[in-house]
Amino acid sequence: MISIPLEGISTLNSFGTALKRLRNELGKSQAAFAGDIGTTQRHVSFLETGRSQPSRTMLARISADLSLSAGQRAALFDASGFQNPYPARDLNSDEVAETLDMIEQRILANWPFPAFVLSDSWDVLRMNGPGSSMLAPFVTTSPVNTNRNINLLALLLSDPFRALIANWEEASAGLYFRLQAAAAHSADIAAHFAIAKENGCFDHVLRELTGEKTVPIYVPVVIQLPEGTQMRIGSLLGRLGSVHDALVEGFEIELLVPLDEKSETAMRTAFGS
């Protein structure tokens, strides 16, 4: 343990703040956290208050012994003052662009129905041909983020797109709970979600939950196209495994799935797959 004088504690203790934030995120007491990493509650307390500074060994132990996300590991190393093995990258970096290209070429291009790569704020970072065909009629009329990418959430909640969902009240409950979880990790999602709730988009969810109906295993989204074609759609959600980058860790791959043969034929016809 590396100790520093008490009079030095008044300086900014970024590691202690980061460690306490991490411990709270994990829902652990100082004693439980200490037990997980093989140290004492007193040592954890000293680290959080700045009376002790972490060693590289302690940082490695926290990272290896706890189930931390890449973002959590990066934040801890960044606050420690040691070299961060998880450098911050942005969407404009060559490495991130190469990763997105790989997902587009190896996954999206091989999926015959609309498929997207979404950021943690639901900006569409990549899409395949059917996905582009699906969104094309709406991108000029929906409140999308024109400064960066199409924002799929803004599009889904726009009046033109919601008008196509024949079973909005039944299907949107799943979207509600998905957004609720995502809002805890994205300020942009939280803002969109709050506006949607204020506008009454999800008022029916509480009514459904207070009723006596049994909720089915899954609820398809029923899309009613203007010419009368109807399709029942679900989606598969995935992420890359073995990711060590906080930004890429937040990327979500969404693959739309027709839930019956009639819907498959309609999707192939409508979106050119």
Side-chain angles (χ1 to χ4, degrees), residues 138-193:
F138 306 100
V139 295
T140 57
T141 57
S142 62
V144 298
N145 186 343
T146 55
N147 292 328
R148 291 183 293 171
N149 301 281
I150 299 167
N151 185 273
L152 190 61
L153 177 55
L155 189 148
L156 290 176
L157 295 176
S158 67
D159 291 338
F161 197 92
R162 284 174 56 202
L164 298 180
I165 302 177
N167 64 335
W168 169 258
E169 290 203 356
E170 294 80 10
S172 60
L175 176 62
Y176 176 91
F177 291 115
R178 183 179 168 189
L179 292 178
Q180 191 176 62
H185 306 286
S186 168
D188 288 343
I189 293 290
H192 279 302
F193 190 35

Side-chain angles (χ1 to χ4, degrees), residues 226-268:
E227 70 274 15
T229 302
Q230 192 174 89
M231 58 188 76
R232 299 170 69 251
I233 297 175
S235 66
L236 297 176
L237 303 176
R239 299 180 187 275
L240 288 181
S242 302
V243 172
H244 301 290
D245 180 87
L247 177 66
V248 176
E249 186 178 51
F251 293 171
E252 193 165 59
I253 302 168
E254 181 151 10
L255 309 176
L256 297 193
V257 183
L259 299 180
D260 52 48
E261 290 187 9
K262 182 179 178 180
S263 297
E264 178 176 345
T265 300
M267 287 181 73
R268 288 184 184 276

Side-chain angles (χ1 to χ4, degrees), residues 1-4 6 9 13 15-21 23 28-35 37 39-54 58 62:
M1 180 172 68
I2 305 171
S3 297
I4 61 175
L6 289 175
I9 300 175
N13 177 30
F15 179 79
T17 300
L19 184 64
K20 185 174 182 179
R21 182 184 301 115
R23 180 173 60 78
K28 293 181 178 291
S29 65
Q30 286 185 342
F33 189 88
I37 60 174
T39 189
T40 65
Q41 183 271 332
R42 182 171 181 267
H43 188 189
V44 173
S45 176
F46 275 25
L47 287 170
E48 290 187 355
T49 59
R51 293 188 64 181
S52 295
Q53 293 299 299
M58 175 57 67
I62 294 173

Side-chain angles (χ1 to χ4, degrees), residues 102-116:
M102 181 275 294
I103 297 173
E104 181 178 1
Q105 295 164 10
R106 299 302 176 187
I107 301 175
L108 305 192
N110 290 300
W111 188 251
F113 310 108
F116 312 93

